[in-house]
Amino acid sequence: MTFDNNVLEYRIALDTNRNLFMAIDANNQRKVAYGITIKQAVKELKKSI
């Protein structure tokens, strides 16, 4: 599922090995950020822009 927050299109996945959510840039899959919550993962992804 792809989400859009007017700044960034991203996908969310759960890394079950690390128990962390992953926010993945929909336009560049090499940009991935992790967080304990979805909100934290998206926040970290925004920092990488």
Side-chain angles (χ1 to χ4, degrees):
M1 181 175 274
T2 302
F3 299 92
D4 180 7
N5 67 358
N6 297 330
V7 177
L8 172 69
E9 274 191 41
Y10 59 92
R11 294 187 336 235
I12 296 295
L14 177 62
D15 182 338
T16 56
N17 291 328
R18 298 167 74 181
N19 282 336
L20 293 174
F21 287 100
M22 302 165 50
I24 306 157
D25 187 333
N27 298 315
N28 183 355
Q29 294 185 18
R30 287 185 247 157
K31 289 186 180 181
V32 178
Y34 295 89
I36 295 171
T37 64
I38 293 173
K39 190 173 187 176
Q40 183 183 19
V42 171
K43 182 178 177 181
E44 292 299 319
L45 184 61
K46 284 182 186 177
K47 289 180 185 178
S48 70
I49 296 177

